């Protein structure tokens, strides 16, 4: 979707401010929502692409007002309600509905590695690669209303395939319960002046990882 | 989304049971999920402990120091970073597919996630606020030299800048240049001087006591 999350190339956000000796979490609640999201992931009701989308659909004005982990709260609540794990009434009251069944077993302390260990997106399935390193490609001029990993600034742009990462889960499908639809994922190089015009600095490029269906031959 | 009052931090509504303070909201959410049997608070403690104490940029610093001191390892890291990093015992969520990119006198790499906050957790831990911020996400791809200038790094015009926008599950680790004057240092000593930001490509390292190189 052409959402506020797709920030590459926007102006007006000001300087980047770095914090010395930054803690991992700035408040205990940030740590709790981080951990709750991971523990809830163990129920297997959603995937990472759906989780990203749940934050992308936060309305733009709210998205910008929220801190990073406030977006996690909003996204997680959306996902839990969609998955029927909680109801909106329960979230608003903070109490389980009287007749609500008790779910078991929750992720146990000894099992947390289950949610912290690798969850690869690479799939060992035979899919033909339409491109090879060195090929000149153009990204499609597409504007999907759902989740996509093709940022706006890199649409309808010419680049060069640098590497084939193999066959990976396609987020545009996976985020919406449409299966994994695995396809080749490529590292594609774009010169800065292709993306940003002649005023862009020389000797400057952006590399993006892009799926087969985002690309066409030039 | 479900919270009509998130914008109202300064004057919380009087007649709402939804607290606007995120600390109160998360507390209420946790107690609801515990009551429903959906989370075990002790598991939450264990997850937090892992990211506060075990998983962080010291892991990445050890990888960089080894690459600087062990040419065969460096080659394996550049050829297949996922395997080379696993060889050092680091693997996990948000580091499933790793690529290491090497900074040289001619090429400076820097990493961003314009769409969200993708970052190689097993080797760098959770990302700092600036990496997740709108200013960095918006500007790193269009004005990387300007961002680096603000970070105190002015690259010569002949240095090529490669920005890696993390749009897939592939995660990028920058292998910074080993500073001159560190030839006598051991891998352990070198690991001490490798900063988190140098492994994102937000700074160049200089030998201890030599000030910022640029």
């Amino acid at each position: 979707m052409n959402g506020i999350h797709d920030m590459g190339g926007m102006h007006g956000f000001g300087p980047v401010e770095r914090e010395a000796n930054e803690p991992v979490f700035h408040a205990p609640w940030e740590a709790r929502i981080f951990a709750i999201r991971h523990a809830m992931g163990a129920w297997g009701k959603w995937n990472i692409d759906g989780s990203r989308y749940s934050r992308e659909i936060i309305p733009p004005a709210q998205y910008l007002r929220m801190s990073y982990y406030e977006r996690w709260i909003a996204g997680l609540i959306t996902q839990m309600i969609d998955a029927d794990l909680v109801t909106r009434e329960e979230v608003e009251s903070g109490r389980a509905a009287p007749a609500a069944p008790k779910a078991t077993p929750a992720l146990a302390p000894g099992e947390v590695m289950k949610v912290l260990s690798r969850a690869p997106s690479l799939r060992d399935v035979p899919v033909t690669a339409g491109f090879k390193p060195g090929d000149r490609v153009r990204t499609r001029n597409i504007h999907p209303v759902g989740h996509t990993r093709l940022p706006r600034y890199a649409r309808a742009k010419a680049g060069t395939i640098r590497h084939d990462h193999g066959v990976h889960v396609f987020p545009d499908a996976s985020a919406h319960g449409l299966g994994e639809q695995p396809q080749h994922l490529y590292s594609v190089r774009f010169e800065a002046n292709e993306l940003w015009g002649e005023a862009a600095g020389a000797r400057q490029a952006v590399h993006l990882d892009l799926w087969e269906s985002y690309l066409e031959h030039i | 989304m479900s919270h009509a009052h998130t914008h109202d931090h300064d004057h919380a509504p009087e007649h709402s049971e939804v607290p606007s303070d995120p600390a109160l909201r998360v507390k209420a959410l946790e107690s609801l999920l515990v009551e429903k049997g959906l989370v075990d608070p002790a598991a939450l403690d264990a997850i937090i402990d892992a990211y506060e104490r075990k998983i962080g940029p010291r892991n990445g610093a050890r990888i960089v120091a080894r690459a600087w001191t062990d040419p065969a390892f460096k080659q394996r890291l550049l050829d297949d970073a996922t395997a080379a990093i696993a060889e050092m015992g680091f693997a996990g969520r948000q580091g499933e597919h790793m690529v290491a990119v090497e900074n040289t006198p001619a090429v400076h790499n820097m990493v961003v996630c314009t769409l969200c906050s993708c970052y190689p957790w097993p080797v760098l831990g959770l990302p700092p606020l600036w990496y997740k911020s709108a200013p960095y996400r918006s500007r790193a791809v269009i004005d990387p030299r300007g961002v680096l200038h603000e970070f105190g790094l002015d690259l010569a015009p002949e240095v090529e800048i490669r920005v890696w926008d993390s749009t897939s599950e592939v995660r990028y680790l920058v292998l910074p240049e080993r500073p001159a004057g560190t030839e006598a240092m051991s891998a352990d000593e070198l690991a001490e001087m490798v900063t988190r930001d140098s492994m994102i490509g937000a700074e160049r390292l200089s030998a201890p006591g030599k000030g910022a190189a640029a």
Side-chain angles (χ1 to χ4, degrees):
Chain A
M1 63 184 289
N2 291 345
I4 188 63
H5 69 284
D6 186 357
M7 292 181 163
M10 289 181 72
H11 289 138
F13 287 118
V16 183
E17 302 199 2
R18 290 194 293 178
E19 177 182 344
N21 304 312
E22 184 177 336
V24 175
F25 298 106
H26 287 77
W29 71 265
E30 294 190 347
R32 294 317 275 182
I33 193 66
F34 174 84
I36 290 170
R37 218 191 68 70
H38 283 278
M40 289 304 296
W43 291 100
K45 300 286 191 183
W46 52 71
N47 57 47
I48 189 164
D49 303 305
S51 296
R52 292 198 177 113
Y53 184 65
S54 74
R55 296 189 286 270
E56 292 168 1
I57 58 175
I58 297 171
Q62 283 189 46
Y63 184 101
L64 292 176
R65 254 190 322 257
M66 288 177 173
S67 71
Y68 180 73
Y69 284 113
E70 284 181 297
R71 291 176 204 145
W72 279 45
I73 302 173
L76 178 64
I77 289 172
T78 301
Q79 287 191 292
M80 291 193 304
I81 292 172
D82 288 350
D84 292 327
L85 290 169
V86 298
T87 64
R88 187 166 301 282
E89 292 68 36
E90 288 176 322
V91 171
E92 285 171 7
S93 69
R95 297 302 309 268
K102 193 160 167 97
T104 53
L107 182 75
E111 297 174 325
V112 298
M113 283 317 296
K114 196 163 86 181
V115 293
L116 305 185
S117 59
R118 300 181 73 233
S121 60
L122 186 68
R123 293 292 177 267
D124 185 14
V125 290
V127 176
T128 306
F131 306 98
K132 60 183 188 307
D135 283 359
R136 290 285 292 163
V137 293
R138 188 179 305 279
T139 48
R140 294 182 190 275
N141 186 10
I142 51 172
H143 299 267
V145 294
H147 183 63
T148 186
R149 303 295 287 178
L150 176 58
R152 259 176 291 179
Y153 77 85
R155 294 179 190 162
K157 303 294 184 192
T160 306
I161 304 273
R162 298 301 289 257
H163 182 73
D164 183 345
H165 290 299
V167 176
H168 287 251
V169 174
F170 185 45
D172 304 41
S174 160
H176 300 293
L178 300 174
E180 297 192 332
Q181 302 187 23
Q183 48 182 269
H184 279 266
L185 173 70
Y186 305 93
S187 176
V188 187
R189 177 186 171 101
F190 298 88
E191 299 304 321
N193 55 23
E194 169 69 9
L195 297 173
W196 312 112
E198 289 308 315
R203 283 176 290 282
Q204 190 175 307
V206 182
H207 293 234
L208 295 97
D209 290 326
L210 301 176
W211 278 262
E212 179 99 23
S213 60
Y214 296 162
L215 305 171
E216 55 197 10
H217 283 282
I218 293 182
Chain B
M1 309 245 21
S2 59
H3 302 285
H5 306 296
T6 43
H7 59 286
D8 232 340
H9 287 233
D10 294 329
H11 33 93
E14 287 173 35
H15 303 292
S16 169
E17 291 184 86
V18 183
S20 61
D21 179 331
L24 297 179
R25 283 163 56 209
V26 172
K27 195 173 176 189
L29 193 60
E30 180 175 339
S31 91
L32 169 67
L33 298 177
V34 170
E35 186 187 354
K36 293 193 65 143
L38 289 165
V39 300
D40 174 345
L44 305 183
D45 295 340
I47 292 169
I48 294 165
D49 185 66
Y51 285 97
E52 284 194 326
R53 296 169 196 281
K54 301 183 185 101
I55 303 167
R58 301 334 304 160
N59 296 354
R62 286 180 51 205
I63 293 163
V64 168
R66 179 156 175 212
W68 284 348
T69 53
D70 177 346
F73 176 78
K74 177 180 168 183
Q75 198 56 54
R76 292 201 295 283
L77 182 68
L78 295 175
D79 291 345
D80 181 353
T82 311
I85 290 168
E87 193 187 306
M88 298 208 39
F90 307 125
R93 195 57 55 99
Q94 290 297 306
E96 285 82 359
H97 311 288
M98 291 292 309
V99 168
V101 290
E102 182 183 18
N103 281 353
T104 68
V107 176
H108 184 90
N109 296 279
M110 65 187 273
V111 183
V112 64
C113 175
T114 61
L115 297 173
C116 49
S117 53
C118 298
Y119 189 77
W121 294 2
V123 294
L124 296 186
L126 302 182
L129 262 184
W130 65 261
Y131 182 87
K132 303 180 286 192
S133 71
Y136 187 71
R137 285 164 57 186
S138 60
R139 293 176 55 209
V141 287
I142 190 171
D143 184 24
R145 279 179 207 272
V147 170
L148 290 173
H149 171 75
E150 281 171 23
F151 288 174
L153 175 55
D154 287 305
L155 294 173
E158 61 270 21
V159 176
E160 179 192 324
I161 299 190
R162 287 182 198 158
V163 180
W164 300 82
D165 190 356
S166 308
T167 48
S168 75
E169 296 312 316
V170 176
R171 297 285 170 271
Y172 291 88
L173 176 71
V174 173
L175 176 57
E177 277 183 85
R178 179 174 178 170
T182 60
E183 292 75 13
M185 291 170 71
S186 69
D188 285 347
E189 290 168 330
L190 290 166
E192 286 294 313
M193 60 167 287
V194 177
T195 63
R196 175 196 67 202
D197 290 358
S198 73
M199 295 181 278
I200 308 172
E203 72 175 336
R204 258 186 188 175
L205 297 171
S206 50
K210 297 242 171 133

